[in-house]
PDB file of all heavy atoms in Angstrom:
ATOM      1  N   ALA A  20      -7.266  14.781   5.876  1.00  0.00           N
ATOM      2  CA  ALA A  20      -8.040  13.881   5.023  1.00  0.00           C
ATOM      3  C   ALA A  20      -8.644  14.582   3.820  1.00  0.00           C
ATOM      4  O   ALA A  20      -8.815  13.976   2.753  1.00  0.00           O
ATOM      5  CB  ALA A  20      -9.146  13.211   5.842  1.00  0.00           C
ATOM      6  N   GLY A  21      -8.973  15.859   3.965  1.00  0.00           N
ATOM      7  CA  GLY A  21      -9.568  16.609   2.862  1.00  0.00           C
ATOM      8  C   GLY A  21      -8.650  16.770   1.667  1.00  0.00           C
ATOM      9  O   GLY A  21      -9.113  17.125   0.568  1.00  0.00           O
ATOM     10  N   GLU A  22      -7.361  16.509   1.851  1.00  0.00           N
ATOM     11  CA  GLU A  22      -6.410  16.606   0.749  1.00  0.00           C
ATOM     12  C   GLU A  22      -6.378  15.337  -0.103  1.00  0.00           C
ATOM     13  O   GLU A  22      -5.700  15.290  -1.132  1.00  0.00           O
ATOM     14  CB  GLU A  22      -5.006  16.900   1.295  1.00  0.00           C
ATOM     15  CG  GLU A  22      -4.915  18.214   2.067  1.00  0.00           C
ATOM     16  CD  GLU A  22      -3.571  18.386   2.751  1.00  0.00           C
ATOM     17  OE1 GLU A  22      -2.537  18.269   2.037  1.00  0.00           O
ATOM     18  OE2 GLU A  22      -3.535  18.628   3.977  1.00  0.00           O
ATOM     19  N   CYS A  23      -7.088  14.295   0.343  1.00  0.00           N
ATOM     20  CA  CYS A  23      -7.104  13.022  -0.386  1.00  0.00           C
ATOM     21  C   CYS A  23      -7.657  13.215  -1.799  1.00  0.00           C
ATOM     22  O   CYS A  23      -8.711  13.848  -1.985  1.00  0.00           O
ATOM     23  CB  CYS A  23      -7.949  12.004   0.379  1.00  0.00           C
ATOM     24  SG  CYS A  23      -8.177  10.431  -0.480  1.00  0.00           S
ATOM     25  N   ILE A  24      -6.957  12.651  -2.778  1.00  0.00           N
ATOM     26  CA  ILE A  24      -7.397  12.767  -4.180  1.00  0.00           C
ATOM     27  C   ILE A  24      -8.011  11.462  -4.673  1.00  0.00           C
ATOM     28  O   ILE A  24      -8.281  11.302  -5.863  1.00  0.00           O
ATOM     29  CB  ILE A  24      -6.231  13.190  -5.096  1.00  0.00           C
ATOM     30  CG1 ILE A  24      -5.057  12.189  -4.980  1.00  0.00           C
ATOM     31  CG2 ILE A  24      -5.767  14.609  -4.752  1.00  0.00           C
ATOM     32  CD1 ILE A  24      -3.911  12.466  -5.958  1.00  0.00           C
ATOM     33  N   ALA A  25      -8.226  10.523  -3.760  1.00  0.00           N
ATOM     34  CA  ALA A  25      -8.879   9.238  -4.075  1.00  0.00           C
ATOM     35  C   ALA A  25      -8.175   8.494  -5.204  1.00  0.00           C
ATOM     36  O   ALA A  25      -8.821   7.875  -6.057  1.00  0.00           O
ATOM     37  CB  ALA A  25     -10.350   9.469  -4.413  1.00  0.00           C
ATOM     38  N   CYS A  26      -6.834   8.529  -5.179  1.00  0.00           N
ATOM     39  CA  CYS A  26      -6.089   7.857  -6.244  1.00  0.00           C
ATOM     40  C   CYS A  26      -6.086   6.342  -6.068  1.00  0.00           C
ATOM     41  O   CYS A  26      -5.855   5.596  -7.023  1.00  0.00           O
ATOM     42  CB  CYS A  26      -4.652   8.381  -6.290  1.00  0.00           C
ATOM     43  SG  CYS A  26      -3.661   7.978  -4.830  1.00  0.00           S
ATOM     44  N   GLY A  27      -6.313   5.887  -4.828  1.00  0.00           N
ATOM     45  CA  GLY A  27      -6.392   4.456  -4.565  1.00  0.00           C
ATOM     46  C   GLY A  27      -5.063   3.768  -4.352  1.00  0.00           C
ATOM     47  O   GLY A  27      -5.026   2.542  -4.153  1.00  0.00           O
ATOM     48  N   ALA A  28      -3.952   4.510  -4.374  1.00  0.00           N
ATOM     49  CA  ALA A  28      -2.637   3.887  -4.174  1.00  0.00           C
ATOM     50  C   ALA A  28      -2.565   3.202  -2.819  1.00  0.00           C
ATOM     51  O   ALA A  28      -2.017   2.104  -2.686  1.00  0.00           O
ATOM     52  CB  ALA A  28      -1.535   4.935  -4.304  1.00  0.00           C
ATOM     53  N   CYS A  29      -3.137   3.842  -1.809  1.00  0.00           N
ATOM     54  CA  CYS A  29      -3.109   3.274  -0.456  1.00  0.00           C
ATOM     55  C   CYS A  29      -3.895   1.970  -0.388  1.00  0.00           C
ATOM     56  O   CYS A  29      -3.435   0.983   0.197  1.00  0.00           O
ATOM     57  CB  CYS A  29      -3.669   4.284   0.546  1.00  0.00           C
ATOM     58  SG  CYS A  29      -5.290   4.943   0.076  1.00  0.00           S
ATOM     59  N   GLU A  30      -5.063   1.950  -1.017  1.00  0.00           N
ATOM     60  CA  GLU A  30      -5.900   0.754  -0.962  1.00  0.00           C
ATOM     61  C   GLU A  30      -5.242  -0.419  -1.694  1.00  0.00           C
ATOM     62  O   GLU A  30      -5.415  -1.574  -1.292  1.00  0.00           O
ATOM     63  CB  GLU A  30      -7.280   1.047  -1.548  1.00  0.00           C
ATOM     64  CG  GLU A  30      -8.108   1.991  -0.683  1.00  0.00           C
ATOM     65  CD  GLU A  30      -9.557   2.075  -1.124  1.00  0.00           C
ATOM     66  OE1 GLU A  30      -9.901   1.457  -2.160  1.00  0.00           O
ATOM     67  OE2 GLU A  30     -10.343   2.759  -0.433  1.00  0.00           O
ATOM     68  N   SER A  31      -4.480  -0.122  -2.724  1.00  0.00           N
ATOM     69  CA  SER A  31      -3.816  -1.202  -3.469  1.00  0.00           C
ATOM     70  C   SER A  31      -2.718  -1.850  -2.645  1.00  0.00           C
ATOM     71  O   SER A  31      -2.346  -3.001  -2.885  1.00  0.00           O
ATOM     72  CB  SER A  31      -3.228  -0.661  -4.780  1.00  0.00           C
ATOM     73  OG  SER A  31      -2.129   0.211  -4.523  1.00  0.00           O
ATOM     74  N   ARG A  32      -2.216  -1.138  -1.624  1.00  0.00           N
ATOM     75  CA  ARG A  32      -1.130  -1.674  -0.797  1.00  0.00           C
ATOM     76  C   ARG A  32      -1.633  -2.262   0.519  1.00  0.00           C
ATOM     77  O   ARG A  32      -0.877  -2.926   1.227  1.00  0.00           O
ATOM     78  CB  ARG A  32      -0.114  -0.571  -0.501  1.00  0.00           C
ATOM     79  CG  ARG A  32       0.716  -0.134  -1.704  1.00  0.00           C
ATOM     80  CD  ARG A  32       1.860   0.763  -1.273  1.00  0.00           C
ATOM     81  NE  ARG A  32       1.393   2.042  -0.798  1.00  0.00           N
ATOM     82  CZ  ARG A  32       1.322   3.150  -1.538  1.00  0.00           C
ATOM     83  NH1 ARG A  32       1.685   3.107  -2.809  1.00  0.00           N
ATOM     84  NH2 ARG A  32       0.889   4.284  -1.033  1.00  0.00           N
ATOM     85  N   CYS A  33      -2.874  -2.010   0.879  1.00  0.00           N
ATOM     86  CA  CYS A  33      -3.377  -2.450   2.180  1.00  0.00           C
ATOM     87  C   CYS A  33      -3.555  -3.967   2.211  1.00  0.00           C
ATOM     88  O   CYS A  33      -4.300  -4.523   1.405  1.00  0.00           O
ATOM     89  CB  CYS A  33      -4.709  -1.776   2.496  1.00  0.00           C
ATOM     90  SG  CYS A  33      -5.421  -2.304   4.076  1.00  0.00           S
ATOM     91  N   PRO A  34      -2.900  -4.659   3.148  1.00  0.00           N
ATOM     92  CA  PRO A  34      -3.028  -6.117   3.204  1.00  0.00           C
ATOM     93  C   PRO A  34      -4.394  -6.588   3.697  1.00  0.00           C
ATOM     94  O   PRO A  34      -4.703  -7.772   3.594  1.00  0.00           O
ATOM     95  CB  PRO A  34      -1.941  -6.536   4.218  1.00  0.00           C
ATOM     96  CG  PRO A  34      -1.079  -5.343   4.433  1.00  0.00           C
ATOM     97  CD  PRO A  34      -1.956  -4.154   4.167  1.00  0.00           C
ATOM     98  N   PHE A  35      -5.192  -5.656   4.237  1.00  0.00           N
ATOM     99  CA  PHE A  35      -6.439  -6.044   4.904  1.00  0.00           C
ATOM    100  C   PHE A  35      -7.692  -5.527   4.213  1.00  0.00           C
ATOM    101  O   PHE A  35      -8.789  -5.623   4.750  1.00  0.00           O
ATOM    102  CB  PHE A  35      -6.406  -5.584   6.366  1.00  0.00           C
ATOM    103  CG  PHE A  35      -5.177  -6.046   7.096  1.00  0.00           C
ATOM    104  CD1 PHE A  35      -4.182  -5.160   7.440  1.00  0.00           C
ATOM    105  CD2 PHE A  35      -4.987  -7.393   7.380  1.00  0.00           C
ATOM    106  CE1 PHE A  35      -3.033  -5.589   8.087  1.00  0.00           C
ATOM    107  CE2 PHE A  35      -3.851  -7.838   8.024  1.00  0.00           C
ATOM    108  CZ  PHE A  35      -2.858  -6.932   8.377  1.00  0.00           C
ATOM    109  N   GLY A  36      -7.522  -4.978   3.023  1.00  0.00           N
ATOM    110  CA  GLY A  36      -8.684  -4.549   2.240  1.00  0.00           C
ATOM    111  C   GLY A  36      -9.501  -3.447   2.884  1.00  0.00           C
ATOM    112  O   GLY A  36     -10.728  -3.413   2.741  1.00  0.00           O
ATOM    113  N   VAL A  37      -8.856  -2.528   3.577  1.00  0.00           N
ATOM    114  CA  VAL A  37      -9.568  -1.435   4.238  1.00  0.00           C
ATOM    115  C   VAL A  37     -10.056  -0.416   3.208  1.00  0.00           C
ATOM    116  O   VAL A  37      -9.341  -0.096   2.251  1.00  0.00           O
ATOM    117  CB  VAL A  37      -8.644  -0.737   5.262  1.00  0.00           C
ATOM    118  CG1 VAL A  37      -9.333   0.477   5.884  1.00  0.00           C
ATOM    119  CG2 VAL A  37      -8.236  -1.718   6.349  1.00  0.00           C
ATOM    120  N   SER A  38     -11.263   0.099   3.415  1.00  0.00           N
ATOM    121  CA  SER A  38     -11.824   1.128   2.518  1.00  0.00           C
ATOM    122  C   SER A  38     -11.255   2.484   2.933  1.00  0.00           C
ATOM    123  O   SER A  38     -11.925   3.314   3.569  1.00  0.00           O
ATOM    124  CB  SER A  38     -13.350   1.123   2.602  1.00  0.00           C
ATOM    125  OG  SER A  38     -13.880  -0.110   2.203  1.00  0.00           O
ATOM    126  N   ILE A  39     -10.016   2.731   2.554  1.00  0.00           N
ATOM    127  CA  ILE A  39      -9.300   3.921   3.024  1.00  0.00           C
ATOM    128  C   ILE A  39      -9.902   5.194   2.446  1.00  0.00           C
ATOM    129  O   ILE A  39     -10.046   6.208   3.159  1.00  0.00           O
ATOM    130  CB  ILE A  39      -7.803   3.818   2.675  1.00  0.00           C
ATOM    131  CG1 ILE A  39      -7.201   2.600   3.360  1.00  0.00           C
ATOM    132  CG2 ILE A  39      -7.064   5.089   3.080  1.00  0.00           C
ATOM    133  CD1 ILE A  39      -5.769   2.305   2.950  1.00  0.00           C
ATOM    134  N   ILE A  40     -10.283   5.170   1.182  1.00  0.00           N
ATOM    135  CA  ILE A  40     -10.855   6.376   0.567  1.00  0.00           C
ATOM    136  C   ILE A  40     -12.133   6.784   1.299  1.00  0.00           C
ATOM    137  O   ILE A  40     -12.354   7.969   1.588  1.00  0.00           O
ATOM    138  CB  ILE A  40     -11.133   6.139  -0.930  1.00  0.00           C
ATOM    139  CG1 ILE A  40      -9.807   5.923  -1.682  1.00  0.00           C
ATOM    140  CG2 ILE A  40     -11.901   7.312  -1.535  1.00  0.00           C
ATOM    141  CD1 ILE A  40      -9.981   5.510  -3.137  1.00  0.00           C
ATOM    142  N   GLU A  41     -12.957   5.815   1.639  1.00  0.00           N
ATOM    143  CA  GLU A  41     -14.174   6.105   2.392  1.00  0.00           C
ATOM    144  C   GLU A  41     -13.832   6.657   3.771  1.00  0.00           C
ATOM    145  O   GLU A  41     -14.498   7.583   4.271  1.00  0.00           O
ATOM    146  CB  GLU A  41     -15.019   4.842   2.516  1.00  0.00           C
ATOM    147  CG  GLU A  41     -16.307   5.017   3.319  1.00  0.00           C
ATOM    148  CD  GLU A  41     -17.245   6.070   2.752  1.00  0.00           C
ATOM    149  OE1 GLU A  41     -17.235   6.282   1.515  1.00  0.00           O
ATOM    150  OE2 GLU A  41     -17.984   6.690   3.548  1.00  0.00           O
ATOM    151  N   ASN A  42     -12.811   6.110   4.410  1.00  0.00           N
ATOM    152  CA  ASN A  42     -12.394   6.626   5.714  1.00  0.00           C
ATOM    153  C   ASN A  42     -11.935   8.075   5.621  1.00  0.00           C
ATOM    154  O   ASN A  42     -12.215   8.892   6.506  1.00  0.00           O
ATOM    155  CB  ASN A  42     -11.256   5.767   6.289  1.00  0.00           C
ATOM    156  CG  ASN A  42     -11.750   4.460   6.877  1.00  0.00           C
ATOM    157  OD1 ASN A  42     -12.929   4.296   7.133  1.00  0.00           O
ATOM    158  ND2 ASN A  42     -10.839   3.524   7.082  1.00  0.00           N
ATOM    159  N   MET A  43     -11.229   8.418   4.547  1.00  0.00           N
ATOM    160  CA  MET A  43     -10.771   9.797   4.373  1.00  0.00           C
ATOM    161  C   MET A  43     -11.965  10.734   4.175  1.00  0.00           C
ATOM    162  O   MET A  43     -11.986  11.855   4.699  1.00  0.00           O
ATOM    163  CB  MET A  43      -9.804   9.903   3.189  1.00  0.00           C
ATOM    164  CG  MET A  43      -8.480   9.166   3.395  1.00  0.00           C
ATOM    165  SD  MET A  43      -7.523   9.632   4.860  1.00  0.00           S
ATOM    166  CE  MET A  43      -7.884   8.243   5.957  1.00  0.00           C
ATOM    167  N   LYS A  44     -12.979  10.267   3.447  1.00  0.00           N
ATOM    168  CA  LYS A  44     -14.185  11.084   3.264  1.00  0.00           C
ATOM    169  C   LYS A  44     -14.867  11.325   4.604  1.00  0.00           C
ATOM    170  O   LYS A  44     -15.298  12.446   4.915  1.00  0.00           O
ATOM    171  CB  LYS A  44     -15.146  10.385   2.310  1.00  0.00           C
ATOM    172  CG  LYS A  44     -14.706  10.343   0.867  1.00  0.00           C
ATOM    173  CD  LYS A  44     -15.714   9.591  -0.006  1.00  0.00           C
ATOM    174  CE  LYS A  44     -15.278   9.516  -1.450  1.00  0.00           C
ATOM    175  NZ  LYS A  44     -16.243   8.742  -2.281  1.00  0.00           N
ATOM    176  N   GLN A  45     -14.969  10.264   5.417  1.00  0.00           N
ATOM    177  CA  GLN A  45     -15.619  10.401   6.731  1.00  0.00           C
ATOM    178  C   GLN A  45     -14.801  11.309   7.640  1.00  0.00           C
ATOM    179  O   GLN A  45     -15.373  12.127   8.375  1.00  0.00           O
ATOM    180  CB  GLN A  45     -15.775   9.026   7.367  1.00  0.00           C
ATOM    181  CG  GLN A  45     -16.793   8.134   6.680  1.00  0.00           C
ATOM    182  CD  GLN A  45     -16.936   6.796   7.381  1.00  0.00           C
ATOM    183  OE1 GLN A  45     -16.580   6.619   8.539  1.00  0.00           O
ATOM    184  NE2 GLN A  45     -17.470   5.806   6.659  1.00  0.00           N
ATOM    185  N   ALA A  46     -13.484  11.195   7.580  1.00  0.00           N
ATOM    186  CA  ALA A  46     -12.649  12.042   8.431  1.00  0.00           C
ATOM    187  C   ALA A  46     -12.782  13.518   8.043  1.00  0.00           C
ATOM    188  O   ALA A  46     -12.824  14.390   8.921  1.00  0.00           O
ATOM    189  CB  ALA A  46     -11.186  11.597   8.310  1.00  0.00           C
ATOM    190  N   LYS A  47     -12.894  13.779   6.765  1.00  0.00           N
ATOM    191  CA  LYS A  47     -13.094  15.164   6.325  1.00  0.00           C
ATOM    192  C   LYS A  47     -14.409  15.708   6.855  1.00  0.00           C
ATOM    193  O   LYS A  47     -14.490  16.855   7.332  1.00  0.00           O
ATOM    194  CB  LYS A  47     -13.079  15.244   4.797  1.00  0.00           C
ATOM    195  CG  LYS A  47     -13.290  16.658   4.262  1.00  0.00           C
ATOM    196  CD  LYS A  47     -13.318  16.690   2.731  1.00  0.00           C
ATOM    197  CE  LYS A  47     -13.573  18.114   2.229  1.00  0.00           C
ATOM    198  NZ  LYS A  47     -13.671  18.141   0.745  1.00  0.00           N
ATOM    199  N   GLU A  48     -15.460  14.882   6.830  1.00  0.00           N
ATOM    200  CA  GLU A  48     -16.764  15.314   7.347  1.00  0.00           C
ATOM    201  C   GLU A  48     -16.702  15.546   8.857  1.00  0.00           C
ATOM    202  O   GLU A  48     -17.267  16.522   9.375  1.00  0.00           O
ATOM    203  CB  GLU A  48     -17.828  14.260   7.024  1.00  0.00           C
ATOM    204  CG  GLU A  48     -18.130  14.125   5.544  1.00  0.00           C
ATOM    205  CD  GLU A  48     -19.103  12.996   5.258  1.00  0.00           C
ATOM    206  OE1 GLU A  48     -19.585  12.373   6.236  1.00  0.00           O
ATOM    207  OE2 GLU A  48     -19.369  12.716   4.074  1.00  0.00           O
ATOM    208  N   VAL A  49     -16.001  14.668   9.570  1.00  0.00           N
ATOM    209  CA  VAL A  49     -15.948  14.741  11.032  1.00  0.00           C
ATOM    210  C   VAL A  49     -15.114  15.918  11.499  1.00  0.00           C
ATOM    211  O   VAL A  49     -15.509  16.682  12.389  1.00  0.00           O
ATOM    212  CB  VAL A  49     -15.382  13.434  11.611  1.00  0.00           C
ATOM    213  CG1 VAL A  49     -15.032  13.596  13.095  1.00  0.00           C
ATOM    214  CG2 VAL A  49     -16.392  12.294  11.435  1.00  0.00           C
ATOM    215  N   PHE A  50     -13.944  16.096  10.868  1.00  0.00           N
ATOM    216  CA  PHE A  50     -13.000  17.115  11.350  1.00  0.00           C
ATOM    217  C   PHE A  50     -13.063  18.433  10.578  1.00  0.00           C
ATOM    218  O   PHE A  50     -12.436  19.414  10.970  1.00  0.00           O
ATOM    219  CB  PHE A  50     -11.567  16.563  11.300  1.00  0.00           C
ATOM    220  CG  PHE A  50     -11.343  15.394  12.231  1.00  0.00           C
ATOM    221  CD1 PHE A  50     -11.193  14.111  11.733  1.00  0.00           C
ATOM    222  CD2 PHE A  50     -11.299  15.590  13.603  1.00  0.00           C
ATOM    223  CE1 PHE A  50     -10.981  13.034  12.591  1.00  0.00           C
ATOM    224  CE2 PHE A  50     -11.092  14.530  14.465  1.00  0.00           C
ATOM    225  CZ  PHE A  50     -10.934  13.246  13.959  1.00  0.00           C
ATOM    226  N   GLY A  51     -13.779  18.422   9.446  1.00  0.00           N
ATOM    227  CA  GLY A  51     -13.980  19.677   8.735  1.00  0.00           C
ATOM    228  C   GLY A  51     -12.890  20.015   7.736  1.00  0.00           C
ATOM    229  O   GLY A  51     -12.945  21.059   7.084  1.00  0.00           O
TER     230      GLY A  51
END
């Protein structure tokens, strides 16, 4: 998750409006 560049490409494709960038930030904090 720490490699995420927050480009938003994933969020633009998500059919369910998930806050993927925020999830990647949380995963980086949780897993280091």
Side-chain angles (χ1 to χ4, degrees):
E22 299 172 53
C23 175
I24 57 175
C26 66
C29 52
E30 291 191 356
S31 69
R32 290 191 291 264
C33 178
F35 307 108
V37 176
S38 299
I39 299 173
I40 295 173
E41 179 59 29
N42 282 344
M43 294 304 103
K44 289 178 181 178
Q45 290 182 19
K47 180 182 178 183
E48 293 175 4
V49 168
F50 296 108

